[in-house]
Amino acid sequence: SIHREWKAGDRIELEFDMKLHFYHGNDTVKNQSAIYYGPLLLAFDKSDNPDFPRERMKVDTDNDYQPHGNLLLTLDDVSFDAQQLSLEMVEDCEYPQPWVKFCLQDERKENIFLIDYANAGMSGDWFTTWFDIHNFLEVAVVVENGKKE
């Protein structure tokens, strides 16, 4: 914490490394990875992907993984190549407005929209933060089991 007497015009500036990086899941989500844009965890929210067919969204009812009361949701036939992954920022003026919204293409060349996790599910629809991502190599910082590689 910062202890000082503040005066009008005082400022604090923070700089974050806003590179893409990934966190590999373990146990229930061991074959999936989460995508981060700097410190922001990105999420697929059905309401931001209205053309994504609901039949390609699979809810795993065979396990007890229920973060914050949500069942584990996986996207059928959606995968990303880390070497080809690039995010295009998209403006979103609809309520609830996410902090960030990106468009990226999966390996089928379909547009997938990801928003910040803090706003995922705000519209009451399904969301997930776990994705099938492969071909990492040295494209970004990859975190596995809490250790940077």
Side-chain angles (χ1 to χ4, degrees), residues 73-121:
L73 174 69
T74 56
L75 305 178
D76 191 28
D77 204 19
V78 173
S79 62
F80 300 103
D81 180 335
Q83 295 291 317
Q84 304 297 319
L85 196 61
S86 65
L87 300 175
E88 177 187 336
M89 181 118 12
V90 177
E91 187 173 338
D92 187 340
C93 298
E94 292 185 28
Y95 182 83
Q97 185 176 8
W99 295 339
V100 294
K101 182 174 183 177
F102 295 102
C103 178
L104 60 155
Q105 286 191 334
D106 67 1
E107 289 189 318
R108 295 170 55 161
K109 303 295 184 205
E110 293 180 333
N111 288 337
I112 303 290
F113 294 93
L114 301 182
I115 64 169
D116 57 278
Y117 174 74
N119 285 289

Side-chain angles (χ1 to χ4, degrees), residues 8 14-15 22 27 30 43 53 60 65 69 81 103 108 119 121 128-129 141-142:
L14 300 175
E15 289 186 30
F22 309 93
D27 299 329
K30 65 184 170 196
D60 185 353
Y65 179 78
D81 180 335
C103 178
R108 295 170 55 161
N119 285 289
T128 186
T129 59
V141 174
V142 178

Side-chain angles (χ1 to χ4, degrees), residues 35-78:
I35 304 172
Y36 284 81
Y37 173 67
L40 299 176
L41 174 60
L42 299 180
F44 170 96
D45 187 312
K46 174 62 176 129
S47 64
D48 287 287
N49 292 274
D51 297 331
F52 191 86
R54 197 169 285 271
E55 60 269 10
R56 288 181 54 205
M57 300 170 67
K58 308 295 183 205
V59 177
D60 185 353
T61 57
D62 294 334
N63 68 61
D64 60 0
Y65 179 78
Q66 296 185 20
H68 309 293
N70 297 311
L71 294 171
L72 178 60
L73 174 69
T74 56
L75 305 178
D76 191 28
D77 204 19
V78 173

